[in-house]
């Protein structure tokens, strides 16, 4: 079976760079489409239970998302991924990656085996959750060494 649509999930960590090279290489071999996603987690959102003393800093949130968009664009440009296949989402990384994969009919999700959360684990927490819950194949690319 040949894969037709790969989704590279990146958190911009070192393992992510390694996974990016692998995803791009596989997409070329399979002559498959390659999409890319980054999920912005932990935005400083208003929690109304704290009351009006905690302001919702919309400007800071916008700046964080814009910075993520720029980093994603730089990586996507390097990999030759067109604008319509670049995804910046907000929320839970696992849930958003799985949702976009399902909606875009992705048949292989490529992640780093470790990222920002997972060092020291056999498989990082995001990588592990995606393997458990995705409706398609998942490739967890190991960091060299
Ligand atoms: P972790 O399990 O969180 O250590 O990360 C493992 C891999 O999951 C990373 O190398 C990325 O491929 C992916 N990943 C983790 N967090 C994100 C995120 N916020 N957006 C997109 N991909 C992510």
């Amino acid at each position: 079976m040949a894969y037709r649509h790969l989704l590279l999930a990146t958190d911009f960590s070192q393992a992510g760079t390694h996974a990016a090279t692998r995803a791009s290489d596989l997409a070329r071999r399979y002559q498959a489409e390659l999409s890319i996603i980054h999920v912005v987690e932990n935005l400083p959102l208003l929690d109304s239970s704290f009351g009006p003393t905690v302001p919702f800093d919309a400007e800071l949130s916008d700046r964080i998302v814009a910075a993520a968009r720029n980093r994603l664009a730089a990586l996507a440009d390097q990999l030759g991924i067109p604008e319509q296949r670049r995804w910046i989402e907000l929320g839970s990384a696992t849930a958003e990656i799985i949702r976009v994969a399902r909606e875009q009919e992705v048949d292989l999700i490529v992640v780093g085996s470790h990222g920002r959360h997972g060092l020291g684990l056999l498989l990082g927490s995001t990588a592990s959750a995606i393997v458990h819950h995705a409706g398609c194949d998942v490739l967890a690319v190991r960091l060299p060494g």
Side-chain angles (χ1 to χ4, degrees), residues 13 42 51 72 85 92 99 104 112 133 144:
S13 62
N42 307 321
L72 192 79
R85 293 208 296 270
S92 143
R99 180 183 62 78
Q104 300 304 314
H133 298 293

Side-chain angles (χ1 to χ4, degrees), residues 2 22 29 36 67 80-81 84 87 96-97 111-112 114 135 143 145:
R22 185 62 58 86
R29 283 178 198 226
I36 189 166
I81 299 174
Q84 68 272 20
W87 303 93
E96 290 304 306
I97 291 165
V111 295
H114 301 87
L143 255 184

Side-chain angles (χ1 to χ4, degrees), residues 45-57:
L45 296 173
L46 173 71
D47 183 338
S48 57
S49 60
F50 294 136
T53 51
V54 179
F56 172 48
D57 195 336

